[in-house]
Amino acid sequence: MTAARILVVDDVALNVKLIADLLAVKGYRTTTASSGAEALALLAAEPPDLILLDVMMPGLSGYDVCRRIREDPAHAMLPIVLITALDPAQERAKGLDAGADDFLSKPVNQAELLARVRSLLRIKSLYDQVLQQRAELAELNRTLEARVAAGVEQLEKVSRLKRFFSPQLAELIVAGGADDPLRSHRREITVVFLDLRGFTAFTETADPEDVMGVLGEYHAAIGALVLQHEATLERFTGDGIMVFFNDPVPVADPSPRAVRMALEMQRAIGRLADGWKRRGHELTMGVGIAQGFATIGGIGFPGRIDYGAIGTVTNLAARLCGEARGGEILVSQRVHALLGEGGFSCEPAGELALKGFHRPVPAFRVVDGL
């Protein structure tokens, strides 16, 4: 531990030497000044731990120096001991009023001097510890506030991303394990479009509560499978749903994965359709799947950003979905080629004249499991 530094101030050189030598013998480091102005200069250059200050000096008196020191908040707790040959009873009040902590009379009693020094240094040490702990606590509070703010921001990001991605993928993106998905980028994706057949006629005759009930069941069933297969949700538009694979995190088999998901979705909707039919609602689902390049990223404005894919592939999947009958899954020629030996059974659906496409588009019907 570094020895305390004590500034000894007196215009009499002998007095300074006697006190400085005594303190040095006891292990203290000392700095000396012969005037109040010199003491203030030393204080600014190298602040001491305690000051022993003579009262009667030419120029600035000990009282003046003490007042100057106390004007600076940084030295509010710096121990100051005034030393004087004047009547202590008369001078003590002046010294305390000027900001001194203690008072010694000349000639100085060595034992009393050392006892006062030890006592005041102990108090200053405790005060310094309190300041250090306060600073550490303030830093901990700042760190905690920053962590809480970062945690809240991360939770908000995860919550927003979970609208489009699986919870695991959303957390991976926020943690930096995937590129920023909202930045516009180009990638080959497999797009799946879903749509309920008979829904328009259903809404024309059913009560709004029934419509919302059916949509709730439909979305719950489809949403569970979207999450299970780690697909990316692009949009809900009533009974129309678009999801895609291979973005923001690439997957090795986007087309087979999309078809497996579509088969499970048809089975799930088939089970729901039985219940809807008993309630008098004739509803089935058509699915269209295509693979190709698209531009993907955040679409919208500050405060309302959606995750969207734009390109011919999305139009193709939507058109195939529009051609699919209830319970059917129609896939593009590229998806059919990519299914390979994956155990899927497909049959040609012919060349379809699709809106927005100048030439007939070959399509295939997935029959495995239907």
Side-chain angles (χ1 to χ4, degrees), residues 159-303:
S159 178
R160 290 196 300 270
L161 291 173
K162 282 181 180 178
R163 295 172 54 199
F164 316 115
F165 315 126
S166 67
Q168 301 90 335
L169 180 54
E171 290 170 3
L172 178 66
I173 293 168
V174 171
D179 293 336
D180 179 7
L182 298 182
R183 179 176 52 82
S184 180
H185 57 284
R186 181 173 170 79
R187 180 171 291 166
E188 188 174 22
I189 59 174
T190 300
V191 180
V192 181
F193 250 97
L194 318 168
D195 191 63
L196 286 180
R197 299 290 173 264
F199 185 75
T200 300
F202 163 61
T203 59
E204 291 174 350
T205 58
D207 291 333
E209 293 78 8
D210 290 337
V211 174
M212 294 303 292
V214 166
L215 282 178
E217 294 172 342
Y218 169 57
H219 291 161
I222 296 302
L225 291 168
V226 168
L227 294 178
Q228 178 182 325
H229 289 270
E230 298 181 331
T232 299
L233 173 65
E234 205 268 5
R235 75 183 71 154
F236 275 111
T237 54
D239 63 319
I241 299 174
M242 172 181 159
V243 299
F244 54 82
F245 291 87
N246 206 42
D247 186 88
V249 174
V251 295
D253 55 348
S255 284
R257 185 180 296 209
V259 172
R260 281 193 294 271
M261 181 188 73
L263 287 168
E264 290 188 36
M265 287 178 171
Q266 285 289 23
R267 296 186 190 106
I269 297 305
R271 292 189 291 271
L272 286 176
D274 291 340
W276 294 337
K277 190 172 184 178
R278 287 194 294 273
R279 303 203 301 263
H281 312 318
E282 294 288 341
L283 296 169
T284 54
M285 185 178 72
V287 181
I289 304 176
Q291 179 160 330
F293 281 92
T295 299
I296 309 165
I299 299 174
F301 54 88

Side-chain angles (χ1 to χ4, degrees), residues 73-242:
H75 302 312
M77 295 302 294
L78 175 63
I80 302 175
V81 179
L82 290 177
I83 303 175
T84 183
L86 301 175
D87 182 2
Q90 296 180 3
E91 300 302 318
R92 183 178 298 276
K94 292 182 182 179
L96 295 175
D97 187 57
D101 296 287
D102 213 333
F103 217 94
L104 286 173
S105 299
K106 291 183 179 180
V108 174
N109 180 284
Q110 294 185 7
E112 184 180 6
L113 168 65
L114 294 173
R116 299 289 175 85
V117 166
R118 285 193 299 269
S119 176
L120 290 172
L121 286 176
R122 184 168 58 251
I123 294 172
K124 183 178 185 297
S125 177
L126 292 173
Y127 178 74
D128 289 344
Q129 288 180 28
V130 170
L131 287 183
Q132 181 179 354
Q133 291 170 355
R134 180 187 297 174
E136 291 173 352
L137 181 59
E139 180 61 29
L140 287 173
N141 285 335
R142 285 192 293 271
T143 301
L144 181 59
E145 289 174 359
R147 288 179 178 176
V148 169
V152 170
E153 182 181 4
Q154 187 175 47
L155 287 174
E156 290 175 348
K157 286 182 179 178
V158 170
S159 178
R160 290 196 300 270
L161 291 173
K162 282 181 180 178
R163 295 172 54 199
F164 316 115
F165 315 126
S166 67
Q168 301 90 335
L169 180 54
E171 290 170 3
L172 178 66
I173 293 168
V174 171
D179 293 336
D180 179 7
L182 298 182
R183 179 176 52 82
S184 180
H185 57 284
R186 181 173 170 79
R187 180 171 291 166
E188 188 174 22
I189 59 174
T190 300
V191 180
V192 181
F193 250 97
L194 318 168
D195 191 63
L196 286 180
R197 299 290 173 264
F199 185 75
T200 300
F202 163 61
T203 59
E204 291 174 350
T205 58
D207 291 333
E209 293 78 8
D210 290 337
V211 174
M212 294 303 292
V214 166
L215 282 178
E217 294 172 342
Y218 169 57
H219 291 161
I222 296 302
L225 291 168
V226 168
L227 294 178
Q228 178 182 325
H229 289 270
E230 298 181 331
T232 299
L233 173 65
E234 205 268 5
R235 75 183 71 154
F236 275 111
T237 54
D239 63 319
I241 299 174
M242 172 181 159

Side-chain angles (χ1 to χ4, degrees), residues 339-362:
L339 295 180
E341 302 298 326
F344 301 103
S345 178
C346 300
E347 62 184 24
E351 294 192 346
L352 307 180
L354 303 179
K355 183 179 178 180
F357 293 84
H358 298 299
R359 299 177 182 176
V361 176

